[in-house]
Amino acid sequence: MIAWMAWLLEHTIGVSLYAMRLLPMLADVGCIVMTALLARKLGGGFWAMLLSSLAVLVAPISLTLSQLFTMNAFDPLLWIWIAWLLVDLVQTGKERNWLWIGVLTGLTLLNKYGVLFLLPGLIAGAAFSQLRRSFVRPWFWTGCVLATLISLPNFLWQLHRNFPFVVLVNTVRKNGRDVMLAPLPYLAQQAEMIGFVSSLLVILALWFFISPQGRRYAFLFWGFISVLGCMLILKGKFYYVAPIYPIVFAPGAVCLERLTAGSALKWFRPVYALTMLLVGALVAPTAIPLLSIEEYIAYTKKLGIQQQKFENQPQSQLPQIFADMVGWEERVKIVADYVHSLPPDEQKITAIGASNYGDAGAVDLFGSKYGLPKAISTASNYRIWGPREYTGESLILMDEGSPEKYEGHCKSLKLVARPDNPYVRPDENLPIYHCVGLTPNLQSLWANAKPWK
């Protein structure tokens, strides 16, 4: 689905920072609104709606995802929409809701597979609630069929390509790329991810679900436990749990509103809201690029706060997410300047090769501005597109940390440049080389390469 959205943006409002940040921002706004609506659906009033939506607004993970064009930005909205429809089904008995739940589930699967950790909890919880009656009715099963049909193209593509997603996950685990924590540090990381203050709403949500008013919505609690429990066991990245929090902020805020209904405790509501806002304001410059690079570094040093680390990757002066925002066009320009220094005939046969999709994508995005062809790469889907018409007679090797592996396969191997940007990821400061006369040629190498290895 992310590819479809990217295509839509490119062919409507174009390619720009504005375009890439528009849909994540709208998804975050939608999630904020849906959280307030879920709180109202669960019996909350003004303060429940305000506090729950405010918790989403100021959560560091929400601020981060609201400006990143990534699949993770859309799951919170899709998940809470499913939750709202389930609550509405309990309250109104509208069995047709299962059709919309099926459609949303299918779309969510096209976006990211994380919802597969939510569904077992929701279904198990539904089995012990009045929703179990739906399991013998056609609406539920029609919803299941819709979800399957919508997500089927994704499964068929994976099947046709020998399940590259599974290969990717196994490779990441073997390489030890991701930060993996024991349960208690992982839970502490969760509290930090939502801004600490909002953790109170998560605790109160559990109280709400065991209360007489909230028991019939306990399937939401089991959905939360399913996602968090699976991620604790599998040691998933901390932000994999992020989409479930708006679903528990709403009942937590409803519970807080009820507990503070007495005149003696009403003061706590505005104080709690102000505290969330203040903490959110302090964290905001670390989650979204509000400051210049120099100001950001000074700010984080002074406050002693930083973005959470989720991969075991070397870091520059900037954390990974911000480091991934700088230096790309600079690298493309280095390559372009060198390619244009070659004789015209050699330029025509020169391929731009990258070992990661970041550099390959940068060449594709900025390259036309500098007169470069599309990149070739063995990373991710670039492997499918192959070496195009290139043979390896002249090949630029970007981000190459092991040039010695080419020494016996290139007639000549020349160092083009050693980028030295202190703010990019260290693995994006790797040297750039020019290989002439690659053997075996690119067409043979691609034909004999094992898929997704």
Side-chain angles (χ1 to χ4, degrees), residues 173-370:
R173 284 299 169 112
K174 288 178 182 177
N175 294 341
R177 186 197 69 181
D178 295 345
V179 171
M180 303 175 75
L181 299 175
L184 286 179
Y186 192 85
L187 292 175
Q189 202 174 41
Q190 293 295 301
E192 182 181 355
M193 178 182 74
I194 60 175
F196 292 112
V197 180
S198 300
S199 299
L200 175 62
L201 296 183
V202 178
I203 297 170
L204 291 177
L206 306 184
W207 191 343
F208 172 85
F209 288 128
I210 63 174
S211 70
Q213 300 93 335
R215 282 176 196 160
R216 60 178 180 159
Y217 310 117
F219 52 85
L220 297 179
F221 164 77
W222 291 112
F224 170 70
I225 293 299
S226 177
V227 173
L228 181 59
C230 287
M231 291 303 106
L232 279 169
I233 294 170
L234 298 173
K235 300 185 184 297
K237 289 181 179 179
F238 69 89
Y239 61 80
Y240 289 171
V241 190
I244 196 64
Y245 284 107
I247 295 174
V248 292
F249 285 157
V254 173
C255 185
L256 187 148
E257 184 181 58
R258 290 174 180 172
L259 290 174
T260 57
S263 56
L265 291 175
K266 281 187 177 180
W267 60 268
F268 183 77
R269 299 170 178 177
V271 169
Y272 185 62
L274 183 60
T275 304
M276 278 199 288
L277 275 174
L278 290 175
V279 173
L282 284 173
V283 173
T286 72
I288 50 181
L290 298 173
L291 306 174
S292 68
I293 291 177
E294 293 77 13
E295 289 171 339
Y296 169 83
I297 293 172
Y299 182 83
T300 53
K301 284 183 177 178
K302 187 173 182 178
L303 269 68
I305 56 177
Q306 187 59 271
Q307 287 181 10
Q308 292 173 277
K309 190 174 181 180
F310 52 90
E311 290 185 0
N312 294 310
Q313 303 277 16
Q315 293 200 133
S316 66
Q317 296 184 41
L318 293 178
Q320 183 173 333
I321 289 178
F322 281 177
D324 271 335
M325 295 181 179
V326 297
W328 298 107
E329 188 170 1
E330 174 189 337
R331 288 177 65 77
V332 174
K333 189 175 185 305
I334 290 172
V335 172
D337 288 344
Y338 177 78
V339 169
H340 294 320
S341 72
L342 299 174
D345 288 345
E346 190 172 0
Q347 289 184 38
K348 293 177 182 178
I349 61 171
T350 298
I352 315 298
S355 63
N356 71 71
Y357 63 81
D359 275 326
V363 170
D364 287 355
L365 181 62
F366 299 112
S368 59
K369 176 180 177 181
Y370 297 101

Side-chain angles (χ1 to χ4, degrees), residues 1 109-111 113 150-159:
M1 193 167 75
L109 284 168
L110 288 181
N111 180 60
Y113 301 143
I150 292 171
S151 60
L152 186 60
N154 183 279
F155 173 79
L156 293 177
W157 186 91
Q158 289 283 339
L159 179 64

Side-chain angles (χ1 to χ4, degrees), residues 50-51 92 98 105 141 155 174 208 257 298 321 347 375 387 405:
L50 176 66
L51 293 174
T92 65
W98 286 116
T105 300
W141 294 105
F155 173 79
K174 288 178 182 177
F208 172 85
E257 184 181 58
I321 289 178
Q347 289 184 38
K405 68 185 179 184

